[in-house]
Amino acid sequence: MDQRVELRHLRYFLAVADELHFGRAAERLHIAQPALSQQIRQLEKLIGVELFKRTSRSVRLTDAGAAFRPRARDLLGRLAADLHEAGRVGRGEAGRIDIGFISSAVVILSERLRAFARRRPDVHVKLHDGFTVDVLASLEHGTVDVGIVRDAEERDDVDLLPLASERFVAVVPADHPVAGQERAEAADLAADPLILFPRSYGPHAFDVNTAPLRRAGVDVQVAQECSNWHTIIMFVATGLGVTIAPYSVTDRLPRGARRVELAGPPTQSHILMATRRADDRPLVEAFIGRR
Amino acid sequence: MDQRVELRHLRYFLAVADELHFGRAAERLHIAQPALSQQIRQLEKLIGVELFKRTSRSVRLTDAGAAFRPRARDLLGRLAADLHEAGRVGRGEAGRIDIGFISSAVVILSERLRAFARRRPDVHVKLHDGFTVDVLASLEHGTVDVGIVRDAEERDDVDLLPLASERFVAVVPADHPVAGQERAEAADLAADPLILFPRSYGPHAFDVNTAPLRRAGVDVQVAQECSNWHTIIMFVATGLGVTIAPYSVTDRLPRGARRVELAGPPTQSHILMATRRADDRPLVEAFIGRR
DNA sequence: ATGATCGATAGGCTGCACCGATGGATCAGC
DNA sequence: GCTGATCCATCGGTGCAGCCTATCGATCAT
């Protein structure tokens, strides 16, 4: 029964309720008076209730009309606001974006977040931290829209945009033979237990990053697997072994650990921003800075 | 720009958003698929935002569409509820009624209120107390819809319905000559100061009610004006004078006052329910019991 | 009585929401 | 790689609903 009610009915009703005069209301609506009378009558028939008490001399709201008036006004107001909001979301001025990131990229991420929040103050950013593999899986699954990852392999359904790169350095215990040196050969680490991420967390990245060690003849066997750089470095500091790490995570080393540059061509670790290749939503484009 | 958006657009949008399939959505709406495509396209044009991302193989919501969906659903739900509510108000099943009353009618009013609340549980009753003149003025002004008054004069814009009537009795101090008697002549009160309502509070009622006194030769001069029966009776109890009052307000007299029946034909005081004669609103009719 | 005001009614026109047919893109199956 | 199926978009055509003008009838002021 109320399936046939249209917004036109509400707009007309409000005009008449405001003016309490069909002629003036029709003028305001830029239609002729008979059309207005007709539509009001139709609305009343549709909802089965008289909204106005009319004589040829006066028009008054009935109780039902008076009760409906503020609600109709509210409805139209809401609709206008909702349409406006939809427009803003469509233009990427408002909405929500989900971002997955690896914890070792917090610094670079937070810089971008600050800049983004300044440009899009009405966008709600939801953050999800995890390892590179998890972030990429979430990206594929749609849980996140943008992923900040490290050393991911090229894929044909994902766009990768380099954000930053940094060299790998060795981290050794303070009492290690090379601890005092400016730089060391990879071979100098061959005898020590290696503490690193599990290879399964990113086989490609693992292989690329450990290539210099292998080239130097080191048999890359991870003696101790650990999934957090700071934990890995704490292990090194307590003398459990050595590691190689991106420069930034060696920024503030604990007491028992020393950073040593690696000789030879530097291995780079790349922090990448990943998006679904099919994804051209304005918020995503805005975040990755394509516009 | 959003002036041309109609509820039809929202209903169609929701169907497509639910089905993510124009063919099925059209079927659900009992229209042909081209009409649906057309209307969705029109809506998108009206609000200037793409709501669906469509290929010939799949239909997906855009961010804007996803943001708009719950709002559109909410709007339609609200509208349905509002129309329903308007219908209930129109049928007098819900709404609000304002009732003015004189304080000496509380008992009879509260009985009616209880019965009314049982029959119309969703009607909000707002009460306004005052003197008969005030209640009638409020009725005329529209502040109240029903007035419970006492001994009002017949008027051509007001309907008066008798609710109850009761005889007037005299109230005298306990040490008054007639205090012990069953009944007294009006003339017996002639010597005492009279405590009553100001005549201006209801000249007609005043004249009618004091007629027996005048008939008995009493020079009706109000020695002490007072606007509340209980206060008047307290004055009597303290020996300040005598009064005549409707029986019900002498129900529980204070220590120093005595009720004495008046000899001769009894003067009746009428409690009346007043409504505007033009007022045929269902709630008012329901309250006065015309249906 | 007379004219002015205002909502309702009557009858005709037109835009537009809808229809059926078709096009064009994509995908599955052989 | 062709064929058929699926599905949204496009294209003319059509009927009705919403709008128009003209007029009526009721009410009120003078």
Side-chain angles (χ1 to χ4, degrees):
Chain A
M1 74 143 101
D2 51 66
Q3 278 289 66
R4 305 229 12 171
V5 173
E6 286 295 341
L7 290 179
R8 172 174 24 88
H9 293 122
L10 303 195
R11 294 193 257 259
Y12 290 6
F13 164 74
L14 286 177
V16 177
D18 285 351
E19 302 284 349
L20 290 180
H21 189 292
F22 279 73
R24 279 197 298 276
E27 198 173 345
R28 202 170 95 179
L29 294 165
H30 306 294
I31 62 171
Q33 169 261 317
L36 181 56
S37 292
Q38 211 169 299
Q39 289 298 313
I40 296 291
R41 198 159 285 280
Q42 182 181 332
L43 174 60
E44 291 177 325
K45 194 165 184 182
L46 283 171
I47 65 181
V49 164
E50 270 204 320
L51 295 170
F52 296 102
K53 203 88 193 162
R54 19 196 179 318
T55 71
S56 64
R57 279 327 269 184
S58 74
V59 176
R60 282 186 340 221
L61 279 163
T62 61
D63 283 354
F68 187 54
R69 173 141 91 127
R71 295 158 194 263
R73 197 183 296 287
D74 182 58
L75 234 70
L76 286 184
R78 276 173 195 274
L79 176 67
D82 291 349
L83 292 178
H84 182 73
E85 180 68 10
R88 299 194 65 209
V89 171
R91 287 187 301 276
E93 296 167 16
R96 162 178 169 163
I97 188 169
D98 286 77
I99 296 177
F101 67 100
I102 51 173
S103 51
S104 66
V106 188
V107 176
I108 197 165
L109 171 62
S110 78
E111 279 167 21
R112 284 191 88 83
L113 285 177
R114 248 192 305 280
F116 184 68
R118 215 176 309 118
R119 277 186 303 148
R120 311 278 165 137
D122 294 336
V123 174
H124 184 221
V125 179
K126 179 103 193 244
L127 296 174
H128 310 257
D129 75 328
F131 306 114
T132 291
V133 272
D134 306 327
V135 170
L136 289 175
S138 298
L139 184 69
E140 195 169 18
H141 181 259
T143 313
V144 306
D145 305 307
V146 176
I148 311 288
V149 297
R150 194 183 279 274
D151 300 323
E153 204 168 1
E154 201 66 45
R155 282 165 52 175
D156 58 356
D157 58 340
V158 168
D159 269 329
L160 293 176
L161 192 82
L163 283 187
S165 56
E166 47 183 339
R167 63 187 184 284
F168 267 85
V169 295
V171 182
V172 301
D175 57 2
H176 191 276
V178 303
Q181 302 178 16
E182 182 83 359
R183 64 185 57 236
E185 298 294 328
D188 297 338
L189 307 174
D192 302 284
L194 195 56
I195 308 172
L196 263 183
F197 273 54
R199 182 170 180 275
S200 62
Y201 274 26
H204 171 73
F206 185 92
D207 293 342
V208 170
N209 297 338
T210 57
L213 298 187
R214 271 198 308 282
R215 269 200 303 278
V218 177
D219 177 23
V220 175
Q221 291 283 359
V222 177
Q224 199 58 243
E225 290 182 337
C226 184
S227 56
N228 180 295
W229 281 118
H230 293 100
T231 312
I232 288 173
I233 286 169
M234 280 311 294
F235 278 138
V236 172
T238 59
L240 209 65
V242 302
T243 190
I244 56 172
Y247 186 88
S248 67
V249 307
T250 68
D251 196 24
R252 308 190 54 165
L253 287 178
R255 198 174 305 277
R258 293 286 183 280
R259 173 173 56 231
V260 183
E261 299 282 344
L262 283 165
T267 313
Q268 297 288 328
S269 173
H270 301 275
I271 293 181
L272 306 163
M273 189 151 58
T275 53
R276 288 181 293 276
R277 185 152 293 173
D279 199 346
D280 59 348
R281 291 181 299 165
L283 266 189
V284 175
E285 310 239 305
F287 187 82
I288 64 181
R290 214 179 286 162
R291 57 163 197 170
Chain B
M1 75 142 103
D2 51 66
Q3 278 289 66
R4 307 229 11 174
V5 174
E6 287 296 340
L7 289 178
R8 171 172 28 88
H9 293 121
L10 302 196
R11 294 192 257 259
Y12 290 4
F13 165 73
L14 285 177
V16 177
D18 285 350
E19 302 284 348
L20 290 179
H21 189 292
F22 279 74
R24 279 196 298 276
E27 200 172 345
R28 204 170 94 179
L29 294 165
H30 306 294
I31 62 171
Q33 169 261 316
L36 181 56
S37 292
Q38 214 169 296
Q39 289 298 311
I40 296 291
R41 198 159 285 280
Q42 184 181 332
L43 174 60
E44 291 177 325
K45 194 164 184 181
L46 283 171
I47 63 180
V49 164
E50 270 205 320
L51 296 169
F52 296 103
K53 202 89 194 163
R54 17 194 179 320
T55 71
S56 63
R57 281 326 269 183
S58 74
V59 176
R60 282 184 342 218
L61 279 163
T62 61
D63 283 354
F68 186 53
R69 175 141 90 127
R71 295 159 193 262
R73 197 184 295 289
D74 184 58
L75 268 158
L76 286 184
R78 275 173 195 275
L79 175 67
D82 292 348
L83 292 177
H84 182 73
E85 181 68 9
R88 300 195 64 208
V89 172
R91 287 187 302 275
E93 296 166 17
R96 160 177 171 166
I97 188 168
D98 286 77
I99 296 177
F101 67 100
I102 51 171
S103 53
S104 66
V106 189
V107 176
I108 197 164
L109 172 63
S110 78
E111 280 166 21
R112 285 191 87 84
L113 285 177
R114 248 193 306 280
F116 184 69
R118 215 177 308 117
R119 280 186 300 147
R120 312 277 164 139
D122 294 337
V123 175
H124 184 221
V125 179
K126 180 106 194 244
L127 296 173
H128 310 256
D129 75 329
F131 307 114
T132 291
V133 271
D134 307 327
V135 170
L136 289 174
S138 299
L139 184 69
E140 195 169 19
H141 181 259
T143 313
V144 305
D145 307 306
V146 176
I148 311 288
V149 299
R150 195 182 277 275
D151 301 322
E153 204 167 0
E154 202 67 42
R155 283 165 51 176
D156 57 357
D157 58 341
V158 169
D159 270 329
L160 293 175
L161 191 82
L163 284 187
S165 58
E166 49 183 339
R167 63 188 184 283
F168 267 85
V169 295
V171 182
V172 301
D175 59 1
H176 192 275
V178 303
Q181 303 177 15
E182 182 82 0
R183 67 184 56 235
E185 296 295 330
D188 296 339
L189 306 175
D192 302 282
L194 196 56
I195 309 173
L196 264 183
F197 273 54
R199 181 169 180 277
S200 61
Y201 275 25
H204 172 74
F206 185 92
D207 293 343
V208 170
N209 298 336
T210 57
L213 299 185
R214 272 196 307 282
R215 270 200 305 275
V218 177
D219 177 24
V220 176
Q221 292 282 0
V222 177
Q224 199 58 242
E225 291 182 339
C226 184
S227 56
N228 179 294
W229 281 118
H230 293 100
T231 312
I232 288 174
I233 287 170
M234 281 310 294
F235 278 139
V236 172
T238 59
L240 210 63
V242 301
T243 191
I244 58 173
Y247 186 88
S248 66
V249 308
T250 69
D251 196 25
R252 308 191 54 166
L253 288 177
R255 200 174 304 278
R258 293 288 184 275
R259 173 171 56 234
V260 183
E261 299 283 340
L262 283 165
T267 314
Q268 296 287 329
S269 173
H270 302 274
I271 294 181
L272 306 163
M273 189 153 56
T275 53
R276 290 181 291 275
R277 186 152 292 171
D279 199 347
D280 59 349
R281 290 182 300 165
L283 265 187
V284 174
E285 309 238 303
F287 187 83
I288 65 182
R290 213 179 287 161
R291 60 164 194 169

